[in-house]
């Protein structure tokens, strides 16, 4: 079956770009000296601390989160987008209409989207405020899935894209793909005007989209967003202007906050301790698929023995290791990205597979002495990975394992672990896995391109296959929970640390409901301000 062989396009080069530590390595952070409070911002203006930059404005043809959170992606629309708001429990990849007004699935290989006929392009030549049409959607998605495009894998399952009429688009699939709504909501899957597709017009400014904002980037790197007049959604955006101000270096966001120059900015835990004392608030947002992975090679002794794998898991205490190294904001789980938060196992259910050291000692004492000698491979992607490998090695030694630590460079990690599967157990970052099937089909299915554990489990394959085509969200969630139970009971892999980012904001800000699923910036349109607030 074709879908078994079409996991995400995870070449070694992509892995190298996508790997990232769950949290930055701590650095000495001195308390910034507040600067003189500047003049009040113009009425209706939200000020955001911006990190990163990029010269290329073509959202479809890059993989930058700057482009989608702070840059041109904010000025564009997609067919679907990830929902955010007070009623969205995180982590979440729940989708809602963006350019569409509704969609339907006559069968599991057909999606029909009915466009919002009020959607208009920005009033800039050559589109000059005309209506967004089905032909725009077709040409955009065809461009997105071009063979040389970095985001072509989003539409791997799509066979044909057809404009049924001026406001209706039909997608037919080669095979059922339950992740398609999440892929269409990916912030790089923007819809662009037909007139802009040819040549390099999308790479340069002005940015012309159909979103709620127009974009203007200054020589300083500052990005200004101004609300589109008569935008199709009533009451959106909540402010008239957004100023994205570049901040960089340790303490820069904090200094800008304390100086009254920005209202919102991402902060480290050390920085949060500073701004919290000054009355700032904060929100935590999980980043699914980003963090540290611990996986076992079932094709290498002694981990070809299920009892040994279970003993390894029983010896580990993910919560203790997480708190000690990654900090309180990271969380531990099997790691599969989920559409709804209730797809995840409850924390107490997850931890039931770990931290039973007495039982681990008994099992190890009854096993062959050769079982005790193992090599723990760690990828040198920063001090946190090295520190966490020491924690893991210590926990294993405490129950009787004879552990040798093997530290690999980034290049050797990619080659030895991901390409050659030459390891017993490892700790390191994983390739970009932005959807449920990215993780399950490629990393855990026996025919997956990146089946890192080497496991061949008929029942696990059946469950993974069933959830991959299940369009009912609740039914799919039940299957994903069963998969997590099986993976943990088989002692295959888990993520001891998954990134949670902290964003601080002033009491001037309202409606800040952050959901960074896929690295999107759609939530900005709902963020408001209290004029005259602190």
């Amino acid at each position: 079956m074709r879908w078994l062989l079409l996991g995400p396009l995870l070449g070694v080069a992509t892995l190298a770009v996508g790997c990232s530590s769950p949290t930055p390595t701590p650095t000495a952070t001195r308390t910034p000296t507040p600067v003189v409070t500047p003049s009040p911002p113009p009425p209706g203006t939200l000020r955001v601390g911006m990190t990163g930059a990029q010269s290329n404005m073509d959202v479809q043809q890059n993989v930058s989160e700057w482009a989608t959170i702070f840059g041109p992606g904010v000025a564009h629309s997609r067919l679907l987008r990830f929902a955010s708001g007070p009623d969205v429990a995180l982590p979440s990849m729940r989708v809602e209409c963006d350019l569409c007004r509704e969609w339907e699935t006559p069968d599991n290989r057909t999606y029909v989207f009915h466009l919002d006929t009020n959607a208009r392009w920005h009033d800039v030549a050559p589109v000059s405020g005309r209506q967004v049409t089905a032909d725009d959607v077709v040409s955009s998605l065809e461009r997105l899935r071009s063979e040389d495009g970095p985001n072509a894998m989003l539409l791997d399952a799509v066979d044909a894209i057809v404009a049924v009429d001026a406001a209706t688009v039909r997608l037919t699939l080669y095979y059922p793909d339950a992740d398609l709504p999440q892929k269409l909501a990916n912030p790089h899957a923007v819809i662009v005007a037909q007139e802009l597709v040819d040549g390099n017009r999308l790479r340069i400014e002005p940015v012309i989209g159909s979103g709620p904002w127009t974009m203007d980037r200054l020589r300083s790197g500052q990005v200004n967003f101004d609300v589109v007049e008569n935008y199709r959604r009533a009451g959106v955006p909540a402010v008239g202007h957004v100023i994205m101000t570049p901040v960089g270096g340790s303490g820069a966001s904090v200094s800008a906050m304390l100086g009254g120059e920005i209202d919102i900015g991402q902060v480290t835990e050390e920085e949060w301790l500073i701004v919290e004392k000054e009355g700032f608030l904060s929100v935590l947002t999980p980043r699914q698929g980003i963090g540290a992975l611990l996986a076992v090679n079932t094709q290498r002794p002694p981990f070809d023995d299920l009892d040994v794998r279970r003993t390894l898991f029983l010896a580990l205490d993910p919560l203790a290791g997480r708190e000690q190294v990654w900090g309180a904001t990271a969380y531990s789980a099997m790691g599969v990205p989920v559409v709804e938060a209730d797809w995840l196992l409850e924390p107490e259910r997850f931890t039931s597979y770990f931290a039973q050291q007495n039982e681990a000692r008994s099992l190890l004492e009854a096993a062959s002495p050769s079982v005790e000698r193992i090599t723990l491979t760690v990828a040198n992607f920063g001090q946190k990975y090295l520190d966490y490998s020491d924690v893991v090695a210590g926990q294993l030694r405490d129950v009787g394992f004879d552990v040798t630590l093997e530290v690999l460079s980034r290049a050797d990690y990619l080659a030895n672990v991901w390409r050659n599967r030459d390891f017993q157990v490892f700790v390191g970052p994983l390739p970009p896995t932005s959807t449920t099937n990215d993780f399950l089909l490629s990393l855990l299915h026996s025919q997956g391109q990146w089946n890192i554990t080497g496991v061949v489990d008929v029942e696990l394959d059946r469950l993974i296959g069933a959830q991959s085509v299940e369009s009912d969200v609740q039914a799919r969630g039940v299957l994903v929970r069963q998969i997590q139970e099986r993976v943990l009971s088989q002692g295959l892999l888990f993520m001891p640390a998954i990134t949670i980012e902290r964003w601080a904001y002033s009491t001037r800000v309202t409606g800040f409901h952050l959901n960074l699923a896929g690295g999107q910036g759609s939530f900005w349109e709902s963020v408001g301000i209290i004029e005259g607030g602190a």
Side-chain angles (χ1 to χ4, degrees):
M1 296 174 66
R2 180 173 179 174
W3 57 263
L4 292 178
L5 304 176
L6 287 177
L9 219 57
L10 297 175
V12 170
T14 304
L15 174 60
V17 172
C19 295
S20 62
S21 299
T23 53
T25 301
T27 54
T29 305
R30 61 181 180 82
T31 303
T33 302
V35 299
V36 177
T37 302
S39 300
T45 300
L46 175 71
R47 301 161 303 168
V48 178
M50 176 180 68
T51 56
Q54 182 150 332
S55 58
N56 178 3
M57 298 292 105
D58 189 346
V59 180
Q60 283 193 348
Q61 297 297 306
N62 67 52
V63 296
S64 163
E65 282 199 347
W66 174 85
T68 57
I69 298 175
F70 304 109
V74 180
H76 286 289
S77 302
R78 294 102 73 192
L79 268 178
L80 301 171
R81 65 181 185 177
F82 295 111
S84 60
D87 62 333
V88 177
L90 300 180
S92 171
M93 291 189 291
R94 183 192 309 172
V95 299
E96 62 185 13
C97 268
D98 192 359
L99 277 175
C100 68
R101 57 178 174 80
E102 62 181 1
W103 81 92
E104 59 200 44
T105 53
D107 57 68
N108 62 6
R109 296 192 184 190
T110 307
Y111 287 74
V112 179
F113 294 90
H114 303 280
L115 303 185
D116 182 350
T117 55
N118 292 317
R120 295 286 187 275
W121 296 108
H122 296 161
D123 193 9
V124 179
V127 291
S128 303
R130 70 167 177 83
Q131 182 178 334
V132 178
T133 68
D135 286 337
D136 291 317
V137 175
V138 172
S139 64
S140 294
L141 297 184
E142 291 289 2
R143 180 177 187 265
L144 181 70
R145 69 171 179 165
S146 61
E147 292 184 0
D148 59 346
N151 298 295
M153 76 288 291
L154 294 173
L155 300 181
D156 270 349
V158 177
D159 178 13
I161 309 168
V162 177
V164 177
D165 56 42
T168 309
V169 179
R170 182 178 65 242
L171 277 66
T172 56
L173 311 185
Y174 291 114
Y175 51 89
D177 182 6
D179 276 350
L180 186 65
Q182 283 68 46
K183 293 175 180 177
L184 292 173
N186 184 285
H188 293 284
V190 295
I191 304 302
V192 295
Q194 297 176 77
E195 296 92 324
L196 307 178
V197 167
D198 294 332
N200 292 321
R201 296 195 65 162
L202 291 170
R203 299 177 64 89
I204 59 177
E205 297 176 69
V207 174
I208 304 173
S210 58
W213 313 95
T214 60
M215 172 183 167
D216 181 31
R217 186 172 55 160
L218 308 183
R219 286 181 175 271
S220 64
Q222 176 178 305
V223 177
N224 295 337
F225 289 100
D226 295 315
V227 68
V228 173
E229 291 187 12
N230 301 316
Y231 182 61
R232 57 194 168 91
R233 291 192 180 98
V236 174
V239 296
H241 312 278
V242 178
I243 297 175
M244 302 284 189
T245 300
V247 293
S250 179
S253 289
V254 177
S255 293
M257 286 183 193
L258 298 182
E261 298 171 328
I262 62 174
D263 304 303
I264 298 175
Q266 186 181 351
V267 295
T268 66
E269 290 308 290
E270 288 179 316
E271 292 167 344
W272 168 237
L273 296 177
I274 298 169
V275 297
E276 183 183 23
K277 295 177 181 178
E278 301 301 321
F280 283 80
L281 307 173
S282 75
V283 61
L284 294 169
T285 185
R287 302 301 307 274
Q288 298 194 81
I290 302 176
L293 180 71
L294 185 150
V296 176
N297 190 347
T298 66
Q299 301 297 309
R300 289 279 299 274
F303 297 115
D304 53 346
D305 186 329
L306 173 58
D307 287 338
V308 179
R309 299 198 301 272
R310 287 175 172 166
T311 301
L312 179 88
F313 273 37
L314 292 173
L316 298 175
D317 186 347
L319 300 187
R322 184 193 71 197
E323 294 282 344
Q324 185 174 339
V325 177
W326 306 107
T329 57
Y331 72 101
S332 306
M334 197 203 89
V336 58
V338 295
V339 174
E340 298 286 356
D342 62 10
W343 287 18
L344 292 173
L345 296 180
E346 295 80 4
E348 59 272 17
R349 184 60 189 159
F350 167 75
T351 55
S352 69
Y353 292 96
F354 301 94
Q356 299 177 47
Q357 285 82 6
N358 289 336
E359 184 176 351
R361 290 188 188 94
S362 298
L363 290 171
L364 197 58
E365 288 172 0
S368 166
S370 63
V371 166
E372 300 173 3
R373 294 186 292 275
I374 63 172
T375 298
L376 171 62
T377 299
V378 57
N380 190 0
F381 275 75
Q383 190 61 43
K384 283 185 179 290
Y385 283 94
L386 301 179
D387 290 345
Y388 186 68
S389 67
D390 288 335
V391 171
V392 171
Q395 291 175 350
L396 295 176
R397 287 169 181 147
D398 284 346
V399 302
F401 279 105
D402 180 4
V403 182
T404 298
L405 270 177
E406 176 188 41
V407 179
L408 298 181
S409 68
R410 300 186 181 201
D412 287 341
Y413 171 67
L414 299 175
N416 294 10
V417 172
W418 289 97
R419 185 185 302 135
N420 301 327
R421 278 49 166 194
D422 183 16
F423 70 93
Q424 288 182 308
V425 56
F426 81 85
V427 173
L430 68 164
T433 51
S434 58
T435 68
T436 307
N437 282 340
D438 280 352
F439 192 102
L440 296 179
L441 283 176
S442 61
L443 267 67
L444 281 165
H445 195 282
S446 63
Q447 296 184 46
Q449 180 182 8
W450 297 98
N451 179 2
I452 194 65
T453 68
V455 67
V456 178
D457 182 330
V458 174
E459 176 60 11
L460 183 58
D461 283 354
R462 185 193 69 79
L463 289 169
I464 292 173
Q467 70 77 36
S468 75
V469 300
E470 179 55 70
S471 58
D472 182 272
V473 173
Q474 184 174 2
R476 191 182 184 197
V478 171
L479 291 167
V480 171
R481 287 177 64 89
Q482 292 174 358
I483 290 168
Q484 293 172 82
E485 296 275 11
R486 188 155 188 92
V487 168
L488 294 171
S489 67
Q490 295 286 311
L492 300 178
L493 58 76
F494 70 99
M495 290 185 68
I498 303 174
T499 297
I500 295 183
E501 292 179 1
R502 188 185 291 276
W503 291 59
Y505 60 98
S506 74
T507 54
R508 183 174 181 263
V509 174
T510 64
F512 186 35
H513 304 293
L514 188 62
N515 183 5
L516 288 173
Q520 71 160 3
S522 302
F523 58 87
W524 290 122
E525 68 183 51
S526 300
V527 183
I529 54 172
I530 301 171
E531 293 294 353

